[in-house]
Amino acid sequence: MRRLQPIWEWSLGTKLAVTFLLVVTGVAVLVSISVIRRGRSALDEELRERGVNLAQNLARLSIDPVLQDDLWTLYKVVRDIATGGSDHRNVVAYAMVLDPEGRVLAHSDPARFPMSEPLRHDPVSRPAGQSWSIYSAEVGRGEAIHDAAAPIIVDKQTVGVARVGVSTRELEATIGRMTRDVLIVTASLAAVGVVLGYVISRRMTRPLRELGHAVDRIAEGRLDEPAVVHTREKDEIGRLADRFNVMTQRLRDNVREIQETKQYLENLLENANDFIYTLDLGGRITYVNRRFFELGFEKEALIGRPLDALLMRPATGTAPGSASVAEMEVKSGDGQHRTLVVGESHLFDNDGHRIGTLGIAKDVSERKELETRLIQSERLASVGELAGALAHELRNPLGSLVAASKMLGANSPQAASYDRAALLQVIIEEGRRLDGILTDFLAFARPRPPRQQPTSVNALVNEVIESLRLDDVAAGKPIQTDFGDGLATVAVDVDQMKQAVWNVIRNGLEASPAGKVLSVTTTAVDGHVTIDVTDEGAGIPAEQRARLFEPFHTTKPRGTGLGLAIAHRIVTAHGGVIDVSSSSGRGTSVCIKLPRESPA
Amino acid sequence: MSPLVILLVLLGAVATTPAWAEPPVRIAITPVLVEHYLEVNRELVSYVGEKLGRRTELVQRRSYKEISDLLERGEVDVAFVCGRPYVIDHERFGLELLVAPVVYDGPVYYSYVIVPSDSSATRFEDLRGKRYAFSDPLSNSGHLVPTYMLARMGETPERFFKRYIYTYSHSANVEAVAVKFVDGASVDSYVYDYLATTNPDLTARTKIIVRSPPHGITPVVVRRGVDPALKTRLRAAFLEMSRDARGQEILRQMMLKRFEAVPDSLFDSIRSMLRAVDARFPGAIAERGASGR
């Protein structure tokens, strides 16, 4: 048997039908009870009256037979009263005539109540009165007897008593039939009520059911199918249906708008030139845009997979809104290596809970290649420039050398006037100058790897200064040293580093006006040893400062332009840094910064 | 009006006037015989009228006494009466026998003492102290026979029975026993046997415990002074009933074999019972017969 549904799960139809049933049945039952009660009362009253009438009739009819002692006739009268009229055949239980002493003269049941015997088993025995009287007694299940008695009076003398017992059996049967009829009517009304309730509720709830179907279609996302509820009714349900139709139309419009917006956003994402992806909190890919597929990835191979399997991901922070950018290699689906610049940020829902990661990556592979080519071409340009500069440097001394040589070898009359010794000196000097240029160039162009050994910076700097004091350039220019105490040794190639320091100090001396002090200091700072060379010269204009370390760049009339370039190369080869700070008119400071320990 | 004048008038009427103009022949029947007998009584009276070629009229009275009075006063011409009223009224005012029906082998019948079918009584003596029903106080089978039986026992109804009643009808007696209004009753055997055929459910609730010797059956009588010619034609009418279809049908319905002429001596047994009762309890019968109760 099916479990009975709780009331709140009943359909409207059932509820209405049950309500009709209950109301109709309730009213019918109340009316029935009232009707039956009144009916019983009226019937009982009528029955009593009939009993009295019959008793009085019997008394009247009994006068002659009693007076004549004609008991058979009396019996027939009694019997006729008891069984006579069809209308009270089942009503009269008995009829009898008693003599004044209470003996039976005639009883409708002579076998049980024999003539001339005192009345036995009298259910409603009572004394004979002077007028009619009625007594009632229960004689069986649901049956009562109303015993009506009327005296038989002749000449004011009571010669007997006529008694008629009327049974309520017929009344009960009538009440039973009435109850049955009422039940039938009640049941019919209830059935009509149920049917009516069902029909009305079906009719009333038809738009509701349509609403339900329409809502189901909407819930299933079938917005394209018409979800209009048709009803002519203009009651609450009708108005609800109308509003529903309006709502559905708006919903459809909104959904279309949302879909268009979504389509627009998807197009934005899909057609973006960048790689866009999202990850869940576990680092698995939840979305990738079309750019990934252009790399040869299959969508199925990406969604749900950890991104780490594809590339080395940059570490991301956890603070909301934090972002990180990293460059990383990825092996694309077709086996090519690509370089991506990846920026990731956290994704948050509306409540601020982190739900994943948004990544936007740019493919910089081609830019990288372009950069490499650019560097190469720049390098080639530098070589050309260098060669030009070198040729330019060589041309002047070479020109002087050639001119001096021509003059020495000339036979012209003017030749005798030439100072041959001076010409030779010119040839020698220019030759030396060429040699110096080439030596410097070679040192710049073909540096040998440094042979590093632990060296005291102070001692190295001191040796360079002492050697320079003998040079002409140092004449009249005092060198002030300030060597830091306890400096750690640095691992350097002594010859190369001496060259670098020599170049820097000599530059400083050259820049220093006569009488101005050149200061050289060494210090230890944060695992580095620095050598500062500061002059008090005119300083370097800002526009030239950027080209200080370029080879053959010089402001001096007879400089090769290679000094600072060589120093830069050596220091850099040692893992150090050379830096120039200068302001026009205030002198220049060059700082060599070397790591305390040689790089691995 | 003297009988002679009536006779002359009757004769004149027969000779000179059509049948409808003559006074009807009045035939009295008491329902003592059988209640609810009206239809066949009418048929019988009509039949007789047809045979006579005269109008006839049915007169019914409840008791023999009433019919006896009518006969005595000449207000009826023909009557069905019990053998005992015949015997008495034959003496009193010259009632004359006409015919008597034949039910059994001869024009005789019996007096039954019946009790309810479940009664324990087997003899008349067992009814001592019981309720008893006589039919008519002038009835032979319904009163004289049992009274005679009591007289022979040295008893009177007053002493022997607790209570007795008169129903003035043999069929009522059967019914009174059947419904146990009384514990026993005397009935005319013809009535009882007739009921046993026509209403066996009723008689089945009773049983016969005493059957008297045969007595002369209830005769058809004419009052004294009836025109002898009419009497002759009347007798002929009854006697010839068994010879025509209509008469046979009436006889069949009345369960009679025929009517036949009977001698007055047929009722001698009744006369001897009357004498015996009167000898035992002088005046009892005559007084009752006169009073009708």
Side-chain angles (χ1 to χ4, degrees), chain A residues 90 92 164 168 205 209 219 228 233 248 260 276 290 325 343 357 365 422 430 548:
Chain A
N90 293 319
V92 179
V164 175
T168 60
T205 57
R209 285 195 305 281
V228 175
E233 311 283 339
T248 310
E260 284 170 3
I276 298 172
R290 196 191 299 159
V325 179
T357 304
S365 305
E430 293 300 323
L548 272 178

Side-chain angles (χ1 to χ4, degrees), chain A residues 68-76 79 105-107 109-111 114-117, chain B residues 35 62 131-132 162-168 172-173 175-176 179-182 293:
Chain A
Q68 294 168 16
D69 199 25
D70 185 354
L71 297 190
W72 178 246
T73 300
L74 184 66
Y75 166 73
K76 286 200 285 185
R79 194 182 59 186
L105 291 177
H107 194 288
D109 186 357
M115 171 192 34
S116 81
E117 296 280 350
Chain B
E35 279 182 343
R62 191 179 174 219
R131 284 162 285 267
Y132 202 77
K162 177 187 180 72
R163 179 79 196 244
Y164 64 90
I165 60 170
Y166 294 98
T167 65
Y168 297 91
N173 272 8
E175 195 182 345
V179 302
K180 297 182 180 175
F181 188 69
V182 290
R293 287 296 298 263

